[in-house]
Amino acid sequence: MYRTHNCGELSLKDIGKKVILSGWIQKIRNLGSLFFIDIRDYFGITQLIIYKKSVKKNISLGKEFIIQVKGKVVERLSKNYNIPTGEIEILVYHIDLLNSSLSPPFTIENQTDGNEEIRMIYRYLDIRRNPIKNNLMIRHNLALETRNFLSKNGFLEIETPVLINYTPEGARSFVVPSRTSPNKFYALAQSPQLFKQLLMIGGIDKYFQIVKCFRDEDSRSDRQIEFTQIDCEMSFVEVHDVLVFFEYFIKHIFKKIKNIQLNSFPCISYSEAIKMYGTDSPDIRFDMTFVELNDLVKREKINLLKTQELVIGIKIQKCHNIHDNDQINFFLKKIENKNFFWIKCLSNQTLPSSNINFLNEKNLKIFVKYFKALPGDLLFFSYGKKRKTREELGKIRLKIADFLNLKNSKTFQPLWITDLPLLEWEEQSKKYKSVHHPFTSPKEEDLHLLEKYPKNIRSKSYDLIINGIEIGSGSIRIHNKNIQNIIFKHLGLSQKEIEHRFGFFIKAFEYGVPPHGGIAFGLDRLVNLLEGNKNIKNFIAFPKNNYGKDIMTNAPSFLEKDKLKELHIR
C-alpha cells in the first residue's frame, strides 16, 4: 500500500492515527537533529516532522524526490491556516525513497520563476503547479457540466471522423498522406460541420460533441492550431430557437462554474455592430458608442472635416484622473492612426491636441455642445473613408478602455451578433468567400439577390460575443439543394469540383433535408474567459507555442527517407 490517505485530507479529527503518505517533496527545512518536509500530491500538501535518530535509513533527499512515509498524525504547534492540512503534521518514524529527481529547471510553486518557453519544454513539471493543475480541473468541470446539461436536454453525443476528405471551409487544412493510397491525402477536420448536418439528415434531432478541431493558422494567445469546441446541431429550428436555448446554456454554465448570474443577452445585427463599435466583436462592458457627425460638420461648415466621407466621435465621461496633456500625449503615441483628434473639457476651457490646428475655438465649442460634454469628459474623433474610419476608432476605443482601466475581468457582458454577410469579395482571388462557411443559409428576404447581388445578402448567422471575445459562432444551414449549388458557384467552384469535394453531401439532399442549425463554442476560450485569464495555453494540458510547435516533443519534425518512401512522398 503506497498510501492510506492523500496529502490534502488529514485534519484535527485524525489526531493519533497512523498513516502512510506518498508524494513529491515540496520543501525541506533542515534544523540539524530534525527536519521538516512539505510533501505534495495531487490533492494537497502535508507537513512532515522527522527526527533523524528515529529514522533508520540515512537517505539523501531533495526537492521533487518522491517519498513514502509512515507516521502518526499530531497537532501542529505553528499552524498554517492557508492550507486544509495546516493544523496537523505527521510525526514520521519510517521513510522510503520511491524515486529521485534532478533539480527542476524552475520552481514548482504557485509563483514560479520559469518563463513560458521553459515551462512549455517541461510541461509535465508545470502541471505539478497548482495554477495549471487547477485550470485543468476547471476545464474538466466545464466539460462535465456541458455534457450533463446537453444530455438532459435531449442532445445525443456522437463522435464524427477526424480524418476526412479535404473540403474548403475557409481556413487552411492540415493534410495527412495515405500509405495505402499512393499520392492521396486525408485532411484533419477543421470542424464536424458536414457530418453534423448529415446526422440531422439521418434523423438525429439534437447532437453535440466536445471535439478536437485542426486549422493550419497562425497561433496566438487566444488561438491554437488544434483546439476544442463544444459542437452542437438541432433539427427543425430557426435563429430564435437556437439563441434562446444557448443563452440558457451559457447562463447555466456561468452559474454552475462561477456562481455568476448573467443578465439577458442583447442582440444586434452585424451592420449595427460595425456602425456603433467599428467591429463585429464589440466589448460592451463600457459604452462609448460611435456618434456620426457628417451632418454637423457640413451644417457648421468645418473645414477639412466637411469633405470627409465619414466623421465620427465618442465621448468618455468623467476622466478626472487624467490631469494634464502629457498623460494624453503619452497615450496618443500608441495610436498609429493620424486621422483623429481629441478634446478634453475643463471647467473653464477646452484643450485641443496639437494635431488639430485646423479647428478654432468656435469649432471646439460646437463639438462640446453637441456631445453635451461636462468638465472632465474626453471626446475622441476619427475621419476618412467609412470602413477604415470605423475600424480605426474601434481600435482607439479599446485602447482608451485599457488606458482608463474600464475592462473589469469580473464583469461579463454577452452579446449576440446576427445577420452577418453571407459572402465577401476577395480582390486578390477575384471571387467570393463565405463569411461563416458555405453551408450557411441566406435570409429569406434576401434570396432575390442571390443570383446578381450576392455581396448584399445577409445570412441566418449568429456569433456570441462576451467582453469583446468571440465565444461561439453558428448559423441556420441551407437545406435546399438549388441554393447550396448557387453558393458553391459563387465561391468559384466548378461542377466537377463540387462533385469531387461535396458529391456525397449534395447527394444526401435528394433524400429530404430537415431545416436545421447549430452553433460551436470554443471550449478553450470559454474556460479562459471564465477565469479572467489572458492566455488559453494555461488551460490546455500540452499546448503548442505561438509558432504552432510543440517544443516539448519537438513536433513537427522531419521524417526519415524510408518513411517518406513508404508514404509515397519524395
Side-chain angles (χ1 to χ4, degrees):
M1 181 183 292
Y2 281 110
R3 60 188 179 187
T4 57
H5 299 77
N6 65 56
C7 295
E9 66 176 305
L10 295 170
S11 62
L12 288 175
K13 66 180 172 54
D14 300 301
I15 295 290
K17 283 184 182 178
K18 290 184 177 180
V19 298
I20 304 172
L21 300 181
S22 293
W24 289 263
I25 293 176
Q26 178 85 14
K27 290 179 181 177
I28 301 177
R29 297 180 295 284
N30 192 337
L31 302 182
S33 62
L34 73 136
F35 52 98
F36 294 94
I37 291 178
D38 287 350
I39 185 174
R40 181 195 74 241
D41 66 6
Y42 172 84
F43 302 96
I45 292 176
T46 300
Q47 179 170 284
L48 312 176
I49 180 170
I50 304 172
Y51 289 93
K52 289 186 179 178
K53 63 181 181 181
S54 66
V55 179
K56 293 180 181 179
K57 290 184 179 180
N58 185 19
I59 55 177
S60 177
L61 300 175
K63 283 188 177 182
E64 299 306 310
F65 282 40
I66 303 177
I67 58 173
Q68 181 195 56
V69 298
K70 298 177 182 178
K72 186 172 70 171
V73 181
V74 297
E75 187 171 359
R76 185 168 167 174
L77 293 177
S78 178
K79 293 181 173 57
N80 179 2
Y81 295 104
N82 293 321
I83 59 174
T85 60
E87 294 181 275
I88 60 95
E89 59 192 2
I90 310 301
L91 182 59
V92 174
Y93 57 78
H94 183 83
I95 184 168
D96 281 322
L97 176 63
L98 300 181
N99 225 323
S100 60
S101 172
L102 295 173
S103 178
F106 53 87
T107 55
I108 312 297
E109 301 278 357
N110 289 357
Q111 297 296 325
T112 182
D113 57 359
N115 60 35
E116 183 177 273
E117 182 177 4
I118 196 72
R119 290 188 294 109
M120 292 302 100
I121 293 172
Y122 295 94
R123 185 61 163 181
Y124 45 87
L125 297 180
D126 201 30
I127 291 172
R128 293 181 188 176
R129 297 192 309 115
N130 281 332
I132 302 300
K133 180 192 73 176
N134 293 340
N135 285 348
L136 296 179
M137 293 167 67
I138 293 166
R139 183 189 177 102
H140 161 79
N141 291 335
L142 172 58
L144 184 63
E145 198 58 51
T146 296
R147 280 194 165 91
N148 290 339
F149 179 88
L150 293 175
S151 298
K152 287 176 183 177
N153 282 277
F155 284 74
L156 189 63
E157 183 171 14
I158 302 175
E159 292 182 345
T160 54
V162 173
L163 291 172
I164 64 171
N165 193 28
Y166 169 77
T167 55
E169 290 188 48
R172 289 183 293 271
S173 295
F174 286 100
V175 293
V176 181
S178 170
R179 177 183 57 83
T180 56
S181 301
N183 301 317
K184 291 186 177 181
F185 295 83
Y186 298 101
L188 296 181
Q190 292 186 26
S191 76
Q193 184 60 46
L194 292 181
F195 291 98
K196 67 178 180 179
Q197 290 190 241
L198 290 169
L199 288 171
M200 300 301 103
I201 297 172
I204 301 298
D205 193 68
K206 297 184 184 78
Y207 138 96
F208 85 97
Q209 185 180 185
I210 299 178
V211 58
K212 275 277 187 166
C213 301
F214 307 87
R215 294 180 186 174
D216 188 6
E217 298 179 321
D218 295 335
S219 294
R220 57 191 188 204
S221 62
D222 66 343
R223 183 171 67 191
Q224 290 266 294
I225 58 173
E226 57 174 314
F227 58 95
T228 305
Q229 65 184 35
I230 303 166
D231 199 61
C232 307
E233 198 78 4
M234 308 161 77
S235 288
F236 303 106
V237 291
E238 264 297 352
V239 171
H240 176 76
D241 305 307
V242 178
L243 300 195
V244 168
F245 178 79
F246 285 104
E247 177 174 327
Y248 173 43
F249 165 68
I250 292 294
K251 285 181 175 178
H252 174 84
I253 290 297
F254 271 78
K255 184 64 177 174
K256 280 289 186 177
I257 303 298
K258 298 295 290 183
N259 196 29
I260 292 173
Q261 185 69 51
L262 295 175
N263 295 323
S264 296
F265 299 5
C267 180
I268 64 173
S269 70
Y270 169 87
S271 60
E272 288 176 305
I274 297 298
K275 186 176 181 179
M276 293 164 59
Y277 301 102
T279 176
D280 59 0
S281 303
D283 190 337
I284 59 170
R285 283 175 292 178
F286 44 93
D287 190 17
M288 291 193 277
T289 53
F290 296 174
V291 177
E292 294 193 12
L293 302 165
N294 285 62
D295 289 343
L296 176 69
V297 297
K298 287 177 182 176
R299 184 173 66 247
E300 299 292 342
K301 299 178 181 178
I302 299 176
N303 291 332
L304 182 66
L305 296 180
K306 67 181 181 181
T307 61
Q308 300 298 319
E309 191 171 293
L310 180 67
V311 182
I312 49 178
I314 53 177
K315 180 171 76 172
I316 306 95
Q317 293 179 305
K318 300 178 182 178
C319 299
H320 296 290
N321 58 324
I322 302 178
H323 298 293
D324 54 47
N325 287 356
D326 290 339
Q327 284 180 280
I328 298 177
N329 288 331
F330 177 76
F331 164 67
L332 294 179
K333 286 178 182 178
K334 301 177 182 179
I335 301 176
E336 296 178 359
N337 177 29
K338 299 305 179 186
N339 282 4
F340 82 101
F341 58 94
W342 57 266
I343 301 171
K344 183 177 180 182
C345 301
L346 299 178
S347 56
N348 57 352
Q349 59 182 330
T350 56
L351 296 176
S353 65
S354 59
N355 69 335
I356 54 165
N357 51 20
F358 58 85
L359 293 180
N360 56 38
E361 186 177 344
K362 178 184 175 183
N363 298 148
L364 296 177
K365 288 181 178 179
I366 289 170
F367 287 121
V368 169
K369 182 179 179 181
Y370 188 82
F371 277 90
K372 298 178 181 178
L374 300 173
D377 291 351
L378 264 176
L379 305 178
F380 276 81
F381 303 84
S382 183
Y383 55 91
K385 295 291 184 181
K386 284 185 178 180
R387 181 168 181 172
K388 186 171 182 180
T389 296
R390 288 196 172 101
E391 285 178 357
E392 292 300 329
L393 191 57
K395 293 175 184 176
I396 292 170
R397 177 179 178 271
L398 293 178
K399 289 178 180 179
I400 293 168
D402 285 329
F403 182 63
L404 299 176
N405 297 315
L406 300 179
K407 296 181 179 180
N408 185 345
S409 62
K410 295 182 180 179
T411 299
F412 299 94
Q413 292 285 351
L415 170 74
W416 288 112
I417 303 293
T418 62
D419 301 348
L420 282 80
L422 185 72
L423 302 165
E424 63 181 0
W425 181 255
E426 270 196 330
E427 191 59 40
Q428 188 173 0
S429 60
K430 299 296 182 184
K431 62 181 181 181
Y432 287 102
K433 73 170 185 177
S434 298
V435 172
H436 260 198
H437 53 63
F439 320 105
T440 301
S441 176
K443 290 177 74 77
E444 279 86 357
E445 53 266 45
D446 291 349
L447 281 175
H448 65 284
L449 304 170
L450 194 56
E451 291 284 1
K452 293 185 177 180
Y453 305 101
K455 69 178 182 180
N456 296 331
I457 300 176
R458 296 165 297 166
S459 65
K460 290 185 175 182
S461 57
Y462 32 82
D463 290 345
L464 178 63
I465 311 301
I466 305 180
N467 295 358
I469 300 167
E470 182 188 309
I471 294 298
S473 183
S475 66
I476 301 301
R477 323 303 185 188
I478 297 168
H479 63 276
N480 179 289
K481 179 181 176 180
N482 293 331
I483 293 176
Q484 186 65 77
N485 276 322
I486 292 172
I487 297 299
F488 283 150
K489 288 175 182 176
H490 279 313
L491 297 175
L493 297 173
S494 66
Q495 194 59 45
K496 184 178 179 181
E497 287 173 316
I498 295 171
E499 183 60 35
H500 175 64
R501 300 296 185 194
F502 303 104
F504 70 97
F505 185 64
I506 294 299
K507 187 181 293 183
F509 274 62
E510 305 287 353
Y511 296 93
V513 180
H516 61 287
I519 193 168
F521 300 96
L523 188 146
D524 312 300
R525 285 187 183 180
L526 181 55
V527 68
N528 189 57
L529 175 76
L530 281 164
E531 291 304 303
N533 208 284
K534 294 184 178 180
N535 196 330
I536 62 172
K537 295 191 203 69
N538 292 326
F539 295 88
I540 300 172
F542 299 101
K544 305 290 189 289
N545 69 7
N546 286 350
Y547 300 97
K549 295 180 180 179
D550 183 337
I551 57 177
M552 181 182 68
T553 65
N554 199 32
S557 59
F558 293 104
L559 287 179
E560 293 82 4
K561 288 183 179 180
D562 58 341
K563 188 63 179 176
L564 291 172
K565 186 177 180 181
E566 183 182 347
L567 294 170
H568 313 285
I569 297 175
R570 295 181 180 180

